[in-house]
Amino acid sequence: MTLKWLWILVIMFSVLEWISIPFISAFTGKLYQVVDGVLIITFIIYPLFFLTSLLLLQKGNKKIGAVILLIPLIVYTPVLISLQTLVK
């Protein structure tokens, strides 16, 4: 995989992260289920995406790719911060 495709995947993953929140809240009736959905995305789906993307990258692009793959986590940080106030 090249860096161009990595950028496309990172943008798509970030958009899907943000779109998933309204869908999760629309199909669940409780706040704790939305929190569980966000935590599943953050701690299960994102690490799998990170590892598979790093494995598919070409050898010379692994360090740059690792930095680029941190973008979805940084973009999703406001949601995680707001969850702290909801859980308290």
Side-chain angles (χ1 to χ4, degrees):
M1 176 180 6
T2 62
L3 286 177
K4 175 185 172 185
W5 283 105
L6 181 66
W7 275 110
I8 292 170
L9 285 174
V10 165
I11 291 169
M12 286 175 47
F13 188 80
S14 297
V15 168
L16 289 174
E17 274 181 332
W18 280 95
I19 291 175
S20 69
I21 297 170
F23 280 109
I24 293 171
S25 63
F27 292 114
T28 60
K30 309 270 192 237
L31 178 63
Y32 73 89
Q33 293 172 334
V34 176
V35 172
D36 287 345
V38 169
L39 292 176
I40 287 170
I41 290 170
T42 305
F43 294 112
I44 296 174
I45 296 174
Y46 173 73
L48 290 174
F49 171 72
F50 187 88
L51 289 175
T52 55
S53 298
L54 274 182
L55 289 174
L56 292 175
L57 269 176
Q58 296 171 350
K59 287 187 179 184
N61 296 330
K62 294 222 187 248
K63 289 182 183 176
I64 298 169
V67 174
I68 293 172
L69 284 169
L70 290 176
I71 292 172
L73 191 60
I74 294 169
V75 169
Y76 214 51
T77 301
V79 174
L80 297 172
I81 291 172
S82 66
L83 283 179
Q84 282 182 332
T85 59
L86 291 175
V87 173
K88 286 183 182 177

